[in-house]
Amino acid sequence: MKGAQLDCLCVTLLHLLHTAGSERFEVLGPTDPIVAVAGDDIILPCYLKPNISAEDMTVDWLNLDFTDGRVYRYQNHRIIRDDQIPYYGGRTSLFEEELWRGNTSLKLTRVQGTDEGRYKCFIKAKSWYDDFTIQVLVKAVGSKPVVSIEGHREGGMGLLCESEGWHPEPELVWLDSKGVHLSAGPPEIHRDLKGFYTIKQHVIVQETDTNRFTCRVQQSRINEKMETEIHLPSELFDYATPLRMAFIVLFCLGAVTVIGLALAIYCIHNKKDYIKNEKDVLKKEKDKESQRETISTSVHVNDVLTVFHLLYIFTVVITGKLVKVEKDLTSKLEILASQLDFVNTNWSPDFETIRRHAVNVTLDPDTAHRNLILSEDGKQVRHGELNPVLSDNGKRFTNWSCVLGNVGFSGKFYYEVKVEGKTEWTLGVVRKSIDMNERFRPIPNKGCWTLELEDGKYTAHADSPVTLLLREKPQKVGVFVDYEKGQVSFYNVEDRCHIYSFTSCTFTKKLYPFFNPGGSDSVSLVICPVDATD
Ligand SMILES: *[C@@H]1O[C@H](CO)[C@@H](O)[C@H](O)[C@H]1NC(C)=O
Ligand SMILES: *[C@@H]1O[C@H](CO)[C@@H](O)[C@H](O)[C@H]1NC(C)=O
């Protein structure tokens, strides 16, 4: 009997040991951190060793930075959504078809900033459990910094730089053209609901020899940076300080005038009283004398009044002039700011993308004014003597020495024109239906989107002309049209910088390249092949 009982116990123990042994497992995963790019879907690997089935186990995924709730739970063959951290709602899943082979990896979709942290993969069977911890780093490169002009501040120009969508927290620096850090205000950093960082910082810049300033936003851990350069025409600085001084002087002058006038009025009253007394005393004996005195006093008071009157007029006139200058300056700043906004928001950051839309433009001799000389290959045009041989074909510019390209375009297109050595030109695009027999300012209203050089002045022919303050004289001009977006932009090809853009235009018909070499020189406008290595 005893022997039989012992046997039985041994069998039971052996059975128990066997059961426990078959459930024993290790949970494994990657030891290196996982770098997840914001917006991507990632897999957090986790598996059992040996590769037994996890179908009957509880699989918990936890983010250790959150004490409440979990990322995901699988239990009793079901997904348990109670206690899920809201950030993970709808973004997590297991590979249920892989559980039977011990694969308990988690799929996380649309990675966001709040996903960074340490994740524990915790697996529990009836009588055994184990876990593994994985580190996840989230990488998000933010937007190209947007620089805006805030106007004159404390004797300099106030600028603001802003960039969003970073992870981890970035750093912002303002640099001058030599790469020297400029001292700026404190950075303002915000974290949005998805855990991405927005950074902005104000700076006041003083005039330098180049007036180029760079806002750089960088993140050293992910080794990324984005920057935007801005060029401020020195004219904007030139006016700033004297204008402010002039206003102060005028203010003082105005104050002096007002005080002066008040004093003068006060004097007149006093004199009158005094004269009245005198008159009373001397009334009977010195009638004539007192009269004379009145006259002389009046003259004296009048002089003072006249001086102050003149001073007053002077102040008004000068103030008017200054207000006009200030208005001019403000409107220039506004144009600059709006163009800057354009570059910031719509212009694709690399000029190379634009150049990929290059098209082959050839001049259409049928449209050329009779005093234009076109090269054989139709790539060059210059001003010359009136050609008596050419007849009026009804398609020609008759009153205006211009020529069009031979093909019209819609969609995105780009071409480059060499203007080197020229003192006058107008370039851009026009509707084919423009009036070729009349000379007019080539403005959008009339179907023209053009840029002009004349008398050393660059003008964008917007509905009211915009004088451009260009530091560098372009030697080669790039014309880019985005038909859908309604944009016509001009670029300085050598400097790879933006000159001017017409925005919010409505195009209904194909646009034709437009060329006017001007009459003041005989240098050719040359359509150049767009060379990617240029
Ligand atoms: C489990 O692992 C063994 C040995 O490592 C392998 O031969 C087998 O194919 C694996 N089974 C599954 C279902 O992945
Ligand atoms: C688990 O399954 C997923 C989906 O099939 C796969 O991508 C992943 O590599 C598997 N992980 C392991 C550790 O086998």
Side-chain angles (χ1 to χ4, degrees):
M1 271 306 267
K2 243 185 183 175
Q5 273 182 338
L6 266 175
D7 278 355
C8 181
L9 194 67
C10 284
V11 169
T12 320
L13 271 174
L14 270 174
H15 178 73
L16 278 175
L17 275 173
H18 177 77
T19 320
S22 74
E23 282 245 300
R24 195 168 289 189
F25 54 82
E26 256 186 293
V27 175
L28 295 173
T31 44
D32 288 337
I34 294 180
V35 178
V37 175
D40 281 3
D41 297 348
I42 56 162
I43 294 174
L44 307 189
C46 178
Y47 56 93
L48 300 183
K49 191 187 162 195
N51 52 7
I52 53 173
S53 168
E55 283 171 306
D56 298 325
M57 301 182 188
T58 300
V59 179
D60 265 327
W61 276 95
L62 308 162
N63 180 335
L64 298 179
D65 294 341
F66 292 83
T67 47
D68 279 345
R70 53 181 97 70
V71 174
Y72 193 89
R73 165 171 274 190
Y74 172 87
Q75 193 175 39
N76 299 330
H77 303 190
R78 287 192 298 125
I79 299 159
I80 313 293
R81 293 192 201 280
D82 315 338
D83 290 340
Q84 190 179 39
I85 301 163
Y87 289 125
Y88 294 97
R91 295 197 298 126
T92 49
S93 57
L94 292 185
F95 299 97
E96 290 185 49
E97 73 285 358
E98 292 268 330
L99 286 174
W100 70 276
R101 62 170 102 197
N103 181 349
T104 55
S105 304
L106 181 81
K107 184 176 182 190
L108 178 60
T109 58
R110 303 187 302 280
V111 167
Q112 58 186 49
T114 50
D115 293 341
E116 179 158 312
R118 285 173 311 132
Y119 288 77
K120 182 180 269 188
C121 169
F122 178 89
I123 300 176
K124 188 170 170 293
K126 280 193 192 70
S127 55
W128 188 256
Y129 65 81
D130 193 19
D131 64 60
F132 190 85
T133 301
I134 303 169
Q135 173 112 31
V136 173
L137 301 174
V138 174
K139 161 179 173 166
V141 183
S143 59
K144 183 171 157 65
V146 170
V147 174
S148 45
I149 301 177
E150 300 191 296
H152 297 126
R153 299 268 187 290
E154 296 162 28
M157 190 63 68
L159 302 176
L160 172 67
C161 180
E162 211 171 343
S163 174
E164 57 183 23
W166 287 88
H167 198 283
E169 192 177 309
E171 168 189 48
L172 191 156
V173 285
W174 277 101
L175 308 163
D176 68 11
S177 58
K178 296 192 186 80
V180 176
H181 286 221
L182 302 171
S183 68
E188 296 166 40
I189 297 175
H190 298 285
R191 196 166 191 216
D192 67 15
L193 289 175
K194 291 188 170 178
F196 296 117
Y197 294 95
T198 294
I199 189 165
K200 60 176 165 180
Q201 195 168 24
H202 299 262
V203 71
I204 295 168
V205 296
Q206 306 298 333
E207 184 166 13
T208 67
D209 40 327
T210 59
N211 283 333
R212 288 184 191 278
F213 304 97
T214 300
C215 168
R216 177 184 295 163
V217 180
Q218 58 195 16
Q219 216 306 319
S220 51
R221 193 189 84 190
I222 58 174
N223 194 21
E224 294 283 353
K225 69 177 178 192
M226 292 286 256
E227 54 185 44
T228 296
E229 191 195 52
I230 170 175
H231 167 231
L232 297 173
S234 57
E235 195 179 345
L236 294 176
F237 287 97
D238 295 348
Y239 278 128
T241 321
L243 203 63
R244 190 110 319 151
M245 289 306 293
F247 270 117
I248 290 168
V249 169
L250 269 184
F251 178 78
C252 297
L253 223 60
V256 165
T257 314
V258 169
I259 293 167
L261 277 174
L263 273 176
I265 290 164
Y266 177 77
C267 279
I268 294 165
H269 273 281
N270 266 8
K271 282 275 176 190
K272 270 189 183 159
D273 285 351
Y274 168 77
I275 291 158
K276 209 178 170 206
N277 288 345
E278 288 277 287
K279 267 188 190 169
D280 286 344
V281 174
L282 304 171
K283 200 174 184 179
K284 285 167 190 169
E285 315 133 69
K286 292 194 171 177
D287 254 8
K288 276 181 190 171
E289 236 175 290
S290 77
Q291 241 169 0
R292 211 177 305 137
E293 196 179 345
T294 313
I295 291 162
S296 81
T297 315
S298 304
V299 167
H300 180 64
V301 168
N302 275 343
D303 278 350
V304 172
L305 272 178
T306 312
V307 166
F308 279 114
H309 190 212
L310 283 178
L311 211 56
Y312 173 73
I313 290 173
F314 174 75
T315 312
V316 166
V317 168
I318 296 291
T319 310
K321 280 249 161 68
L322 278 179
V323 165
K324 199 182 162 294
V325 170
E326 172 94 10
K327 260 194 190 148
D328 250 30
L329 202 61
T330 313
S331 81
K332 269 177 189 155
L333 260 180
E334 270 167 16
I335 290 164
L336 193 68
S338 87
Q339 287 293 308
L340 197 63
D341 277 351
F342 175 79
V343 171
N344 280 330
T345 54
N346 298 317
W347 185 43
S348 68
D350 64 319
F351 185 48
E352 301 318 318
T353 312
I354 284 174
R355 295 182 96 211
R356 261 179 241 138
H357 295 284
V359 290
N360 185 9
V361 173
T362 307
L363 301 169
D364 177 6
D366 288 348
T367 60
H369 186 272
R370 287 162 64 207
N371 62 15
L372 290 186
I373 299 171
L374 273 59
S375 66
E376 199 100 310
D377 61 357
K379 297 292 184 189
Q380 307 194 10
V381 58
R382 63 184 175 88
H383 196 267
E385 295 290 303
L386 194 74
N387 186 338
V389 180
L390 292 173
S391 62
D392 185 14
N393 57 7
K395 292 192 257 172
R396 241 179 245 301
F397 283 97
T398 54
N399 228 333
W400 204 15
S401 51
C402 310
V403 57
L404 298 182
N406 64 354
V407 185
F409 299 94
S410 50
K412 292 192 180 82
F413 65 98
Y414 175 79
Y415 59 93
E416 290 177 357
V417 184
K418 198 172 93 179
V419 296
E420 198 178 335
K422 289 197 62 65
T423 51
E424 215 177 292
W425 48 260
T426 307
L427 291 172
V429 291
V430 300
R431 276 200 290 264
K432 185 111 198 200
S433 57
I434 58 165
D435 189 348
M436 293 178 148
N437 299 316
E438 196 195 326
R439 207 189 157 120
F440 53 87
R441 202 162 68 77
I443 56 171
N445 227 336
K446 301 220 161 135
C448 308
W449 292 267
T450 58
L451 187 71
E452 180 184 49
L453 168 66
E454 195 184 4
D455 300 333
K457 225 170 63 177
Y458 293 90
T459 308
H461 284 294
D463 288 326
S464 56
V466 175
T467 306
L468 300 170
L469 313 162
L470 303 185
R471 177 171 279 269
E472 249 64 72
K473 296 195 183 318
Q475 305 296 308
K476 207 191 253 187
V477 176
V479 182
F480 176 64
V481 179
D482 188 331
Y483 192 91
E484 271 82 42
K485 280 195 185 153
Q487 292 162 359
V488 179
S489 303
F490 297 87
Y491 297 94
N492 176 338
V493 177
E494 266 90 6
D495 283 15
R496 279 157 167 53
C497 67
H498 174 254
I499 299 175
Y500 184 82
S501 286
F502 292 92
T503 55
S504 322
C505 319
T506 341
F507 306 129
T508 48
K509 295 239 171 66
K510 283 187 174 174
L511 296 171
Y512 286 76
F514 170 92
F515 307 83
N516 177 355
S520 71
D521 64 65
S522 54
V523 181
S524 293
L525 280 176
V526 184
I527 304 170
C528 304
V530 177
D531 184 355
T533 60
D534 235 1

